Amino acid sequence: MNATAFQEFFKIHNILNIQVIDRRSFFQRKVIDITGRYAAFRCREPNVEKSDLIIEIGHFTPNLQGCSVLDGEYYIKPNYFFHKEEHYKLGGFLTFDVEGLEEDICRVRVDANFTGMPFVAGLVIDFFIHYCITIRGYSLLHASGLSKDQYGVVFSGRGGGGKTTLALAGVTKGNYEYLGDNFIICYNGEIYSFISDLNMFGYNLIPNVWNKFTMKEKIMFRMKEWLYKITLSYIKIFTAVSPNRIFTQRIRSNSKLRKFFLLLAGPEYQVETADRREIIQRTISNMKLEFFNFVRHIEAYACLLPASTFAEHWVNYAMSLEKNLPENIEYFLLTMPLTVRSQEIDQTLGKAFSEENISCIEGKVK
Amino acid sequence: MRKISYLNIHNLLSVAIHHQEELNWFPELNQPMRFFQVDQIKGDPEIIMEIGDFQPQIKNCFIVDHKYYIRQNYFFCDDSFKGLKWRVEFHGFEEGPTRVKLHIQKMDMKYHLTPGIIYNGLFLRQLIAYHLIRKGACLIHAGACAKDGKAVVFFGRGGTYKTTHIIQFMRQSRGWNFMGDDTLILSGKHVLSFPYSLSFFGYRYANLPDEQLSVLDRFRIFPYSKKFNPSSIGVEKQAEIVALINCSVGVGIPLNFHPADGEASIRDLARQSAVDDYTNASIGHTQTYPKYVEAYSLVFPENGLSKRWQEVMKQMTCLSSIKPYHLEVPVDFLDHLGGLGKNNVYKQIDSVIKVA
């Protein structure tokens, strides 16, 4: 291992230990910070022998001997996957390989050019966290979460559904505790926080966050909105805000799942109870849309090794949801318009934390 | 001026395309499905495609990811990919005849020469695939040649030299007709031809040792397509499958042709055809249509679209009596094409099929 490489260690609730080895230069690391969004999981004690997921950032040489080639861009052999390159906006590209897909320790190497680097965390690292969590029997939900004395509520949905809006309103106005804004981990009815930076853009900015901004950040924020407008919604840069800055004392690490809301942006405000099976199906669609590139990557691997863990990933994810989402809690389908009124938010939070429906659940348990 | 062109796909499906005059610059390149073009169709078309600007009807829609507008049997979005921007609206997204309105803005120069390939690659092919499944047939990602009503099917992912194998096989074993080098229609144990961009195949077959186009070839193909006569290549319309050949490419492996496991081959064929839905090589592997289907499934989990490939798996079970083979070639296979004479794999395929 290169002695000059910069190393960091992350620990997600005793579920997953991640080691990140960054081979980029000091300057590149400072300009594009990849691991910043996992800051809440950073640990000082290096735990080298027990890393479950190792991520190396920087130039690498793929191990192609004996690989089958698909579509001229996938190089695949048992336990090994290499994807040549993938292009993004502004000429950004990234390429990665994975070793140990079917084993306990997953080793991911990823390389990208300057404009491709900002996509590394969201498209590659997040997926492999999701993958490693799933093979350990846990489920990652694309959702935000709130809690009040071991009473946890999850709001799952796609962008524009209102995850962040509800979570921020719940913490700042409703005095609930915060579990996460983008991902939540679920295990046998227990939910664990996944604290990542809040992605702020014009539509979900609230005064509490705006007031915590320094003058420089306020100017940058307005500049990004302006850039979005003049490039005709081509370049959309979110402002990452650490939740620790906004509500330090209000973050919780785990809770018990009591209500599950699936959010959709629709024509009018509506809450209805939903069937658990249907919610699970929608949750899988939600995750596939979040990592849509991997839907295709997994299909490529499945062409050669159809019975392997990686090829069966979406089936495994469905099974983990089936196991981890309890049958005796309430599931709701919540439709909200894109421009939601604050009284509707209050109404939703009120319904989420009202105890009145809980009596019938306890009745069932008895 | 607006024109309507009709496609009749083996009397299974009919398509109407309303488009601008500009498509007639290089008709052979711009209408990859020209093989199916007819003057008139009987009855109403199952797919209607309107190319040009339009006003979407997005009232009372669910909105996913800020850009997909969805309601029952309806889909609209404003999307972009690599120098292309488009707005597309589907009426009858899931059921009934499908009406597609598509407005494409081409920011990249190269797309101006071949606008037809874009709408074919983005949506038309996927829609044809979906409508065929509802008629009990399906589109598979494979090529084939046929002789006396018997077909040899070469299947495999992109870049596995299916086209090269077909070109070489047709040249070296006499009497074989062409059926398609990328896509075929599977109906029971029969395949129906689906020659996609026939002039491209014609150019390769007449001039090149293999399928690789050089930069010069990319220019030459324009005048070639102008004077290309589709009847210069014999196309067989329908044939019964006698052999399924799974093509693959590997790093550091020898050339190898051997019998394969039947069940696994059929599963591979189904899986690879499903994947073809995800990718489109002509526009750099866009994943648009399957992503739209996934967004639609988020709003309406019970729909026919998301189950379409399970339907295909059922249809394919009748293929189990057909002999499967596996053809593996090394990555640098094209460099040694000239030296194939001694250990000629195509002669081997021909003799194996004769015995069968």
Short mmCIF file of all heavy atoms in Angstrom, two decimals, chain A residues 60-64 67-68 70 73-86 94-102 106-110 124 127-128 131 293-305 308 310-311, chain B residues 157:
data_model
loop_
_atom_site.label_atom_id
_atom_site.label_comp_id
_atom_site.label_asym_id
_atom_site.label_seq_id
_atom_site.Cartn_x
_atom_site.Cartn_y
_atom_site.Cartn_z
N PHE A 60 -6.11 3.27 -10.94
CA PHE A 60 -5.88 1.84 -10.66
C PHE A 60 -5.76 1.07 -11.97
O PHE A 60 -6.17 1.55 -13.02
CB PHE A 60 -7.02 1.27 -9.81
CG PHE A 60 -8.35 1.21 -10.52
CD1 PHE A 60 -8.72 0.07 -11.21
CD2 PHE A 60 -9.22 2.29 -10.50
CE1 PHE A 60 -9.95 0.00 -11.86
CE2 PHE A 60 -10.45 2.22 -11.15
CZ PHE A 60 -10.81 1.08 -11.83
N THR A 61 -5.16 -0.12 -11.88
CA THR A 61 -5.06 -0.98 -13.05
C THR A 61 -6.00 -2.16 -12.87
O THR A 61 -5.84 -2.93 -11.93
CB THR A 61 -3.62 -1.52 -13.21
OG1 THR A 61 -2.72 -0.46 -12.89
CG2 THR A 61 -3.37 -2.01 -14.61
N PRO A 62 -7.00 -2.31 -13.74
CA PRO A 62 -7.94 -3.42 -13.56
C PRO A 62 -7.29 -4.76 -13.85
O PRO A 62 -6.33 -4.85 -14.62
CB PRO A 62 -9.04 -3.10 -14.57
CG PRO A 62 -8.43 -2.20 -15.57
CD PRO A 62 -7.36 -1.44 -14.86
N ASN A 63 -7.81 -5.80 -13.22
CA ASN A 63 -7.29 -7.15 -13.35
C ASN A 63 -8.17 -7.90 -14.35
O ASN A 63 -9.15 -8.52 -13.98
CB ASN A 63 -7.34 -7.77 -11.95
CG ASN A 63 -6.91 -9.21 -11.94
OD1 ASN A 63 -6.34 -9.70 -12.91
ND2 ASN A 63 -7.20 -9.89 -10.86
N LEU A 64 -7.81 -7.82 -15.65
CA LEU A 64 -8.75 -8.28 -16.68
C LEU A 64 -8.55 -9.72 -17.13
O LEU A 64 -9.37 -10.25 -17.86
CB LEU A 64 -8.65 -7.37 -17.91
CG LEU A 64 -8.99 -5.91 -17.69
CD1 LEU A 64 -8.92 -5.15 -18.99
CD2 LEU A 64 -10.38 -5.76 -17.09
N CYS A 67 -11.39 -12.43 -17.96
CA CYS A 67 -12.72 -11.81 -17.89
C CYS A 67 -13.50 -12.01 -19.18
O CYS A 67 -12.92 -12.05 -20.26
CB CYS A 67 -12.58 -10.30 -17.68
SG CYS A 67 -12.24 -9.85 -16.00
N SER A 68 -14.80 -12.07 -19.07
CA SER A 68 -15.66 -12.01 -20.25
C SER A 68 -16.01 -10.55 -20.49
O SER A 68 -16.17 -9.79 -19.55
CB SER A 68 -16.94 -12.79 -20.02
OG SER A 68 -16.66 -14.15 -20.10
N LEU A 70 -18.59 -7.74 -22.01
CA LEU A 70 -19.97 -7.52 -22.45
C LEU A 70 -20.13 -6.08 -22.89
O LEU A 70 -19.68 -5.17 -22.21
CB LEU A 70 -20.95 -7.78 -21.31
CG LEU A 70 -20.96 -9.16 -20.67
CD1 LEU A 70 -21.99 -9.20 -19.57
CD2 LEU A 70 -21.27 -10.22 -21.69
N GLU A 73 -17.88 -2.77 -22.53
CA GLU A 73 -17.58 -1.92 -21.40
C GLU A 73 -17.56 -2.64 -20.06
O GLU A 73 -17.04 -2.11 -19.09
CB GLU A 73 -18.57 -0.75 -21.35
CG GLU A 73 -20.01 -1.19 -21.35
CD GLU A 73 -20.97 -0.01 -21.29
OE1 GLU A 73 -20.70 0.94 -20.57
OE2 GLU A 73 -22.01 -0.07 -21.98
N TYR A 74 -18.15 -3.83 -20.00
CA TYR A 74 -18.12 -4.60 -18.76
C TYR A 74 -17.10 -5.72 -18.88
O TYR A 74 -17.09 -6.43 -19.87
CB TYR A 74 -19.48 -5.23 -18.48
CG TYR A 74 -20.58 -4.25 -18.21
CD1 TYR A 74 -21.61 -4.09 -19.12
CD2 TYR A 74 -20.59 -3.50 -17.05
CE1 TYR A 74 -22.63 -3.20 -18.88
CE2 TYR A 74 -21.61 -2.61 -16.80
CZ TYR A 74 -22.62 -2.46 -17.72
OH TYR A 74 -23.63 -1.57 -17.48
N TYR A 75 -16.25 -5.88 -17.86
CA TYR A 75 -15.31 -7.00 -17.81
C TYR A 75 -15.65 -7.77 -16.54
O TYR A 75 -15.52 -7.25 -15.45
CB TYR A 75 -13.86 -6.50 -17.78
CG TYR A 75 -13.44 -5.86 -19.08
CD1 TYR A 75 -13.87 -4.59 -19.42
CD2 TYR A 75 -12.62 -6.53 -19.99
CE1 TYR A 75 -13.52 -4.00 -20.63
CE2 TYR A 75 -12.26 -5.96 -21.19
CZ TYR A 75 -12.71 -4.69 -21.51
OH TYR A 75 -12.36 -4.12 -22.71
N ILE A 76 -16.10 -9.01 -16.73
CA ILE A 76 -16.67 -9.73 -15.60
C ILE A 76 -16.09 -11.13 -15.50
O ILE A 76 -15.93 -11.84 -16.50
CB ILE A 76 -18.21 -9.82 -15.76
CG1 ILE A 76 -18.80 -8.41 -15.68
CG2 ILE A 76 -18.83 -10.71 -14.70
CD1 ILE A 76 -20.22 -8.32 -16.16
N LYS A 77 -15.72 -11.53 -14.28
CA LYS A 77 -15.43 -12.94 -13.96
C LYS A 77 -15.96 -13.18 -12.56
O LYS A 77 -16.33 -12.22 -11.88
CB LYS A 77 -13.93 -13.22 -14.09
CG LYS A 77 -13.03 -12.44 -13.16
CD LYS A 77 -11.57 -12.68 -13.51
CE LYS A 77 -10.67 -11.72 -12.76
NZ LYS A 77 -9.30 -11.74 -13.26
N PRO A 78 -16.01 -14.44 -12.11
CA PRO A 78 -16.59 -14.68 -10.79
C PRO A 78 -15.94 -13.79 -9.72
O PRO A 78 -14.71 -13.69 -9.67
CB PRO A 78 -16.29 -16.16 -10.53
CG PRO A 78 -16.27 -16.76 -11.88
CD PRO A 78 -15.69 -15.71 -12.78
N ASN A 79 -16.77 -13.15 -8.93
CA ASN A 79 -16.29 -12.33 -7.82
C ASN A 79 -15.66 -11.00 -8.25
O ASN A 79 -15.17 -10.25 -7.41
CB ASN A 79 -15.25 -13.11 -7.02
CG ASN A 79 -15.50 -13.01 -5.54
OD1 ASN A 79 -16.28 -12.18 -5.12
ND2 ASN A 79 -14.84 -13.83 -4.78
N TYR A 80 -15.64 -10.71 -9.54
CA TYR A 80 -14.96 -9.50 -10.00
C TYR A 80 -15.79 -8.78 -11.06
O TYR A 80 -16.41 -9.42 -11.92
CB TYR A 80 -13.59 -9.86 -10.58
CG TYR A 80 -12.80 -8.66 -11.07
CD1 TYR A 80 -12.09 -7.88 -10.17
CD2 TYR A 80 -12.79 -8.31 -12.43
CE1 TYR A 80 -11.38 -6.77 -10.61
CE2 TYR A 80 -12.09 -7.21 -12.87
CZ TYR A 80 -11.39 -6.44 -11.96
OH TYR A 80 -10.70 -5.35 -12.38
N PHE A 81 -15.81 -7.47 -10.97
CA PHE A 81 -16.63 -6.66 -11.88
C PHE A 81 -15.86 -5.39 -12.22
O PHE A 81 -15.38 -4.70 -11.32
CB PHE A 81 -17.94 -6.31 -11.17
CG PHE A 81 -18.88 -5.48 -11.99
CD1 PHE A 81 -19.87 -6.07 -12.75
CD2 PHE A 81 -18.79 -4.09 -12.00
CE1 PHE A 81 -20.75 -5.31 -13.49
CE2 PHE A 81 -19.66 -3.33 -12.74
CZ PHE A 81 -20.64 -3.94 -13.49
N PHE A 82 -15.69 -5.10 -13.50
CA PHE A 82 -15.03 -3.85 -13.89
C PHE A 82 -15.88 -3.15 -14.92
O PHE A 82 -16.33 -3.75 -15.90
CB PHE A 82 -13.64 -4.15 -14.44
CG PHE A 82 -12.98 -2.98 -15.14
CD1 PHE A 82 -12.68 -1.81 -14.44
CD2 PHE A 82 -12.67 -3.05 -16.49
CE1 PHE A 82 -12.09 -0.73 -15.08
CE2 PHE A 82 -12.07 -1.97 -17.14
CZ PHE A 82 -11.78 -0.81 -16.43
N HIS A 83 -16.17 -1.88 -14.68
CA HIS A 83 -16.93 -1.10 -15.65
C HIS A 83 -16.03 -0.01 -16.20
O HIS A 83 -15.48 0.78 -15.45
CB HIS A 83 -18.18 -0.49 -15.01
CG HIS A 83 -19.05 0.19 -16.00
ND1 HIS A 83 -19.45 1.47 -15.85
CD2 HIS A 83 -19.54 -0.24 -17.18
CE1 HIS A 83 -20.19 1.82 -16.91
NE2 HIS A 83 -20.26 0.79 -17.72
N LYS A 84 -15.89 0.01 -17.53
CA LYS A 84 -14.88 0.84 -18.17
C LYS A 84 -15.08 2.31 -17.92
O LYS A 84 -14.28 2.95 -17.27
CB LYS A 84 -14.90 0.57 -19.67
CG LYS A 84 -13.52 0.53 -20.28
CD LYS A 84 -13.63 -0.16 -21.61
CE LYS A 84 -12.73 0.41 -22.66
NZ LYS A 84 -13.07 -0.17 -23.98
N GLU A 85 -16.10 2.91 -18.43
CA GLU A 85 -16.34 4.29 -18.07
C GLU A 85 -17.77 4.69 -18.31
O GLU A 85 -18.48 4.11 -19.11
CB GLU A 85 -15.38 5.26 -18.75
CG GLU A 85 -15.36 5.18 -20.25
CD GLU A 85 -14.23 6.04 -20.78
OE1 GLU A 85 -13.09 5.88 -20.29
OE2 GLU A 85 -14.48 6.85 -21.65
N GLU A 86 -18.17 5.69 -17.58
CA GLU A 86 -19.54 6.13 -17.63
C GLU A 86 -19.49 7.65 -17.70
O GLU A 86 -18.71 8.27 -17.00
CB GLU A 86 -20.21 5.70 -16.34
CG GLU A 86 -21.68 5.66 -16.44
CD GLU A 86 -22.23 4.70 -15.39
OE1 GLU A 86 -21.56 4.44 -14.40
OE2 GLU A 86 -23.33 4.24 -15.60
N LEU A 94 -16.46 8.39 -14.92
CA LEU A 94 -15.89 7.63 -13.82
C LEU A 94 -15.87 6.16 -14.19
O LEU A 94 -16.66 5.69 -14.98
CB LEU A 94 -16.61 7.90 -12.50
CG LEU A 94 -17.95 7.32 -12.14
CD1 LEU A 94 -17.82 5.89 -11.67
CD2 LEU A 94 -18.54 8.14 -11.02
N THR A 95 -14.90 5.46 -13.62
CA THR A 95 -14.72 4.05 -13.92
C THR A 95 -14.39 3.35 -12.60
O THR A 95 -13.78 3.94 -11.73
CB THR A 95 -13.62 3.88 -14.99
OG1 THR A 95 -13.34 2.51 -15.14
CG2 THR A 95 -12.36 4.61 -14.65
N PHE A 96 -14.87 2.13 -12.43
CA PHE A 96 -14.61 1.46 -11.15
C PHE A 96 -14.50 -0.05 -11.33
O PHE A 96 -14.97 -0.60 -12.32
CB PHE A 96 -15.70 1.80 -10.13
CG PHE A 96 -17.04 1.20 -10.43
CD1 PHE A 96 -17.41 -0.02 -9.89
CD2 PHE A 96 -17.92 1.85 -11.26
CE1 PHE A 96 -18.65 -0.59 -10.17
CE2 PHE A 96 -19.17 1.29 -11.55
CZ PHE A 96 -19.53 0.08 -11.01
N ASP A 97 -13.85 -0.70 -10.37
CA ASP A 97 -13.88 -2.16 -10.33
C ASP A 97 -14.14 -2.62 -8.90
O ASP A 97 -13.90 -1.88 -7.95
CB ASP A 97 -12.63 -2.78 -10.96
CG ASP A 97 -11.44 -2.85 -10.03
OD1 ASP A 97 -11.44 -2.11 -9.02
OD2 ASP A 97 -10.50 -3.61 -10.32
N VAL A 98 -14.66 -3.83 -8.77
CA VAL A 98 -14.97 -4.39 -7.45
C VAL A 98 -14.40 -5.78 -7.36
O VAL A 98 -14.54 -6.58 -8.28
CB VAL A 98 -16.49 -4.52 -7.22
CG1 VAL A 98 -16.79 -4.63 -5.74
CG2 VAL A 98 -17.25 -3.41 -7.85
N GLU A 99 -13.75 -6.07 -6.25
CA GLU A 99 -13.25 -7.41 -5.97
C GLU A 99 -13.98 -7.92 -4.75
O GLU A 99 -14.31 -7.14 -3.86
CB GLU A 99 -11.75 -7.34 -5.65
CG GLU A 99 -10.84 -7.89 -6.71
CD GLU A 99 -9.40 -7.56 -6.39
OE1 GLU A 99 -8.87 -8.19 -5.47
OE2 GLU A 99 -8.85 -6.66 -7.04
N GLY A 100 -14.22 -9.20 -4.70
CA GLY A 100 -14.86 -9.78 -3.51
C GLY A 100 -16.34 -9.49 -3.42
O GLY A 100 -16.85 -9.28 -2.33
N LEU A 101 -17.01 -9.48 -4.57
CA LEU A 101 -18.46 -9.22 -4.57
C LEU A 101 -19.24 -10.26 -3.78
O LEU A 101 -20.27 -9.96 -3.20
CB LEU A 101 -18.97 -9.24 -6.02
CG LEU A 101 -18.93 -7.95 -6.78
CD1 LEU A 101 -19.27 -8.20 -8.22
CD2 LEU A 101 -19.88 -6.95 -6.19
N GLU A 102 -18.75 -11.50 -3.80
CA GLU A 102 -19.50 -12.58 -3.15
C GLU A 102 -18.89 -12.92 -1.79
O GLU A 102 -19.23 -13.92 -1.20
CB GLU A 102 -19.48 -13.84 -4.04
CG GLU A 102 -19.75 -13.60 -5.50
CD GLU A 102 -21.18 -13.21 -5.78
OE1 GLU A 102 -22.06 -13.66 -5.05
OE2 GLU A 102 -21.39 -12.42 -6.72
N CYS A 106 -15.53 -6.45 0.64
CA CYS A 106 -15.75 -5.93 -0.69
C CYS A 106 -14.72 -4.84 -0.93
O CYS A 106 -14.57 -3.93 -0.11
CB CYS A 106 -17.16 -5.35 -0.69
SG CYS A 106 -18.01 -5.51 -2.20
N ARG A 107 -13.99 -4.94 -2.03
CA ARG A 107 -12.95 -3.95 -2.30
C ARG A 107 -13.30 -3.21 -3.58
O ARG A 107 -13.34 -3.79 -4.66
CB ARG A 107 -11.61 -4.67 -2.44
CG ARG A 107 -10.43 -3.76 -2.37
CD ARG A 107 -9.12 -4.52 -2.51
NE ARG A 107 -8.03 -3.63 -2.19
CZ ARG A 107 -7.48 -3.53 -1.00
NH1 ARG A 107 -7.89 -4.31 -0.02
NH2 ARG A 107 -6.50 -2.67 -0.77
N VAL A 108 -13.57 -1.91 -3.46
CA VAL A 108 -13.99 -1.11 -4.60
C VAL A 108 -12.88 -0.12 -4.93
O VAL A 108 -12.37 0.57 -4.06
CB VAL A 108 -15.28 -0.31 -4.26
CG1 VAL A 108 -15.74 0.49 -5.47
CG2 VAL A 108 -16.37 -1.22 -3.79
N ARG A 109 -12.49 -0.08 -6.20
CA ARG A 109 -11.52 0.93 -6.64
C ARG A 109 -12.21 1.82 -7.65
O ARG A 109 -12.87 1.33 -8.56
CB ARG A 109 -10.30 0.26 -7.26
CG ARG A 109 -9.54 -0.58 -6.26
CD ARG A 109 -8.28 -1.14 -6.84
NE ARG A 109 -8.55 -2.17 -7.85
CZ ARG A 109 -7.60 -2.83 -8.50
NH1 ARG A 109 -6.33 -2.57 -8.26
NH2 ARG A 109 -7.91 -3.73 -9.40
N VAL A 110 -12.08 3.12 -7.47
CA VAL A 110 -12.81 4.01 -8.36
C VAL A 110 -11.93 5.17 -8.80
O VAL A 110 -11.13 5.68 -8.03
CB VAL A 110 -14.14 4.48 -7.69
CG1 VAL A 110 -13.90 4.98 -6.30
CG2 VAL A 110 -14.86 5.52 -8.51
N VAL A 124 -21.44 5.54 -6.64
CA VAL A 124 -20.71 4.29 -6.42
C VAL A 124 -20.66 3.92 -4.93
O VAL A 124 -21.09 2.85 -4.53
CB VAL A 124 -19.28 4.36 -7.01
CG1 VAL A 124 -18.54 3.07 -6.75
CG2 VAL A 124 -19.35 4.62 -8.49
N PHE A 127 -24.03 3.15 -3.31
CA PHE A 127 -24.58 1.87 -3.74
C PHE A 127 -23.92 0.72 -2.99
O PHE A 127 -24.59 -0.20 -2.55
CB PHE A 127 -24.45 1.62 -5.24
CG PHE A 127 -24.94 0.25 -5.62
CD1 PHE A 127 -26.29 0.02 -5.75
CD2 PHE A 127 -24.07 -0.81 -5.73
CE1 PHE A 127 -26.76 -1.25 -6.00
CE2 PHE A 127 -24.53 -2.10 -5.98
CZ PHE A 127 -25.89 -2.31 -6.13
N PHE A 128 -22.58 0.77 -2.86
CA PHE A 128 -21.92 -0.37 -2.20
C PHE A 128 -22.19 -0.41 -0.71
O PHE A 128 -22.20 -1.49 -0.12
CB PHE A 128 -20.42 -0.40 -2.55
CG PHE A 128 -20.23 -0.98 -3.92
CD1 PHE A 128 -19.96 -0.17 -5.01
CD2 PHE A 128 -20.40 -2.33 -4.14
CE1 PHE A 128 -19.85 -0.71 -6.29
CE2 PHE A 128 -20.28 -2.88 -5.41
CZ PHE A 128 -20.00 -2.06 -6.48
N TYR A 131 -25.41 -2.18 -0.80
CA TYR A 131 -25.19 -3.59 -1.13
C TYR A 131 -24.67 -4.37 0.08
O TYR A 131 -25.19 -5.43 0.42
CB TYR A 131 -24.21 -3.69 -2.31
CG TYR A 131 -23.83 -5.10 -2.68
CD1 TYR A 131 -24.78 -5.95 -3.23
CD2 TYR A 131 -22.55 -5.57 -2.48
CE1 TYR A 131 -24.45 -7.25 -3.57
CE2 TYR A 131 -22.21 -6.87 -2.81
CZ TYR A 131 -23.15 -7.70 -3.36
OH TYR A 131 -22.82 -8.99 -3.68
N ASN A 293 -28.18 3.16 -12.59
CA ASN A 293 -27.05 2.62 -13.34
C ASN A 293 -26.76 1.19 -12.92
O ASN A 293 -26.38 0.36 -13.73
CB ASN A 293 -25.80 3.45 -13.10
CG ASN A 293 -25.95 4.82 -13.69
OD1 ASN A 293 -26.83 5.07 -14.49
ND2 ASN A 293 -25.10 5.73 -13.26
N PHE A 294 -26.95 0.92 -11.63
CA PHE A 294 -26.63 -0.41 -11.13
C PHE A 294 -27.66 -1.45 -11.54
O PHE A 294 -27.36 -2.63 -11.53
CB PHE A 294 -26.42 -0.38 -9.61
CG PHE A 294 -25.02 -0.02 -9.26
CD1 PHE A 294 -24.66 1.30 -9.09
CD2 PHE A 294 -24.04 -0.99 -9.17
CE1 PHE A 294 -23.35 1.64 -8.82
CE2 PHE A 294 -22.73 -0.66 -8.89
CZ PHE A 294 -22.38 0.67 -8.72
N VAL A 295 -28.84 -1.03 -11.92
CA VAL A 295 -29.82 -1.98 -12.44
C VAL A 295 -29.21 -2.64 -13.66
O VAL A 295 -29.26 -3.86 -13.85
CB VAL A 295 -31.15 -1.28 -12.80
CG1 VAL A 295 -32.10 -2.23 -13.48
CG2 VAL A 295 -31.79 -0.71 -11.55
N ARG A 296 -28.56 -1.83 -14.48
CA ARG A 296 -27.94 -2.35 -15.70
C ARG A 296 -26.64 -3.11 -15.38
O ARG A 296 -26.38 -4.16 -15.96
CB ARG A 296 -27.66 -1.19 -16.64
CG ARG A 296 -27.44 -1.66 -18.05
CD ARG A 296 -27.24 -0.50 -18.99
NE ARG A 296 -26.29 -0.92 -19.98
CZ ARG A 296 -25.22 -0.24 -20.31
NH1 ARG A 296 -24.95 0.92 -19.75
NH2 ARG A 296 -24.40 -0.70 -21.21
N HIS A 297 -25.84 -2.57 -14.46
CA HIS A 297 -24.59 -3.26 -14.09
C HIS A 297 -24.89 -4.66 -13.57
O HIS A 297 -24.24 -5.63 -13.93
CB HIS A 297 -23.85 -2.48 -13.00
CG HIS A 297 -23.40 -1.11 -13.40
ND1 HIS A 297 -23.32 -0.71 -14.71
CD2 HIS A 297 -23.01 -0.04 -12.68
CE1 HIS A 297 -22.90 0.53 -14.76
NE2 HIS A 297 -22.72 0.96 -13.54
N ILE A 298 -25.91 -4.77 -12.70
CA ILE A 298 -26.25 -6.06 -12.11
C ILE A 298 -26.74 -7.01 -13.19
O ILE A 298 -26.39 -8.19 -13.19
CB ILE A 298 -27.30 -5.87 -10.99
CG1 ILE A 298 -26.63 -5.20 -9.79
CG2 ILE A 298 -27.91 -7.20 -10.58
CD1 ILE A 298 -27.58 -4.75 -8.72
N GLU A 299 -27.52 -6.50 -14.14
CA GLU A 299 -27.98 -7.36 -15.24
C GLU A 299 -26.80 -7.90 -16.04
O GLU A 299 -26.83 -9.04 -16.49
CB GLU A 299 -28.93 -6.59 -16.17
CG GLU A 299 -30.37 -6.58 -15.71
CD GLU A 299 -30.96 -7.96 -15.54
OE1 GLU A 299 -30.55 -8.89 -16.27
OE2 GLU A 299 -31.81 -8.14 -14.66
N ALA A 300 -25.77 -7.09 -16.23
CA ALA A 300 -24.59 -7.54 -16.97
C ALA A 300 -23.91 -8.68 -16.23
O ALA A 300 -23.57 -9.71 -16.81
CB ALA A 300 -23.61 -6.38 -17.17
N TYR A 301 -23.75 -8.52 -14.91
CA TYR A 301 -23.12 -9.57 -14.10
C TYR A 301 -23.99 -10.83 -14.12
O TYR A 301 -23.49 -11.94 -14.18
CB TYR A 301 -22.94 -9.05 -12.67
CG TYR A 301 -22.03 -9.88 -11.81
CD1 TYR A 301 -20.65 -9.79 -11.92
CD2 TYR A 301 -22.55 -10.76 -10.86
CE1 TYR A 301 -19.81 -10.54 -11.12
CE2 TYR A 301 -21.72 -11.51 -10.05
CZ TYR A 301 -20.35 -11.40 -10.19
OH TYR A 301 -19.53 -12.15 -9.39
N ALA A 302 -25.32 -10.61 -14.09
CA ALA A 302 -26.26 -11.74 -14.04
C ALA A 302 -26.25 -12.54 -15.34
O ALA A 302 -26.59 -13.71 -15.34
CB ALA A 302 -27.66 -11.24 -13.74
N CYS A 303 -25.87 -11.91 -16.45
CA CYS A 303 -25.80 -12.65 -17.71
C CYS A 303 -24.80 -13.78 -17.61
O CYS A 303 -24.96 -14.83 -18.22
CB CYS A 303 -25.38 -11.72 -18.84
SG CYS A 303 -26.77 -10.88 -19.55
N LEU A 304 -23.72 -13.56 -16.87
CA LEU A 304 -22.68 -14.58 -16.76
C LEU A 304 -22.82 -15.43 -15.52
O LEU A 304 -22.57 -16.62 -15.54
CB LEU A 304 -21.30 -13.92 -16.76
CG LEU A 304 -20.90 -13.35 -18.12
CD1 LEU A 304 -19.73 -12.42 -17.98
CD2 LEU A 304 -20.58 -14.48 -19.08
N LEU A 305 -23.21 -14.82 -14.40
CA LEU A 305 -23.28 -15.56 -13.13
C LEU A 305 -24.66 -15.37 -12.51
O LEU A 305 -24.82 -14.63 -11.53
CB LEU A 305 -22.18 -15.02 -12.19
CG LEU A 305 -20.77 -15.17 -12.75
CD1 LEU A 305 -19.91 -13.99 -12.42
CD2 LEU A 305 -20.15 -16.46 -12.28
N SER A 308 -25.52 -15.78 -8.54
CA SER A 308 -24.65 -15.19 -7.52
C SER A 308 -25.38 -14.13 -6.68
O SER A 308 -26.45 -13.67 -7.03
CB SER A 308 -23.44 -14.56 -8.19
OG SER A 308 -23.88 -13.59 -9.11
N PHE A 310 -24.58 -11.02 -6.07
CA PHE A 310 -24.69 -9.70 -6.72
C PHE A 310 -25.79 -9.72 -7.78
O PHE A 310 -26.57 -8.78 -7.88
CB PHE A 310 -23.33 -9.34 -7.34
CG PHE A 310 -23.23 -7.93 -7.85
CD1 PHE A 310 -23.46 -6.85 -7.00
CD2 PHE A 310 -22.89 -7.67 -9.17
CE1 PHE A 310 -23.36 -5.55 -7.46
CE2 PHE A 310 -22.78 -6.37 -9.64
CZ PHE A 310 -23.02 -5.31 -8.78
N ALA A 311 -25.87 -10.81 -8.54
CA ALA A 311 -26.90 -10.90 -9.58
C ALA A 311 -28.29 -10.90 -8.99
O ALA A 311 -29.24 -10.38 -9.57
CB ALA A 311 -26.68 -12.15 -10.41
N ARG B 157 -24.63 -10.51 -25.85
CA ARG B 157 -24.67 -9.09 -25.55
C ARG B 157 -23.99 -8.28 -26.65
O ARG B 157 -23.38 -8.85 -27.55
CB ARG B 157 -23.94 -8.83 -24.22
CG ARG B 157 -24.65 -9.41 -23.03
CD ARG B 157 -25.72 -8.47 -22.55
NE ARG B 157 -25.14 -7.24 -22.08
CZ ARG B 157 -25.36 -6.71 -20.88
NH1 ARG B 157 -26.13 -7.33 -20.03
NH2 ARG B 157 -24.83 -5.56 -20.53
#
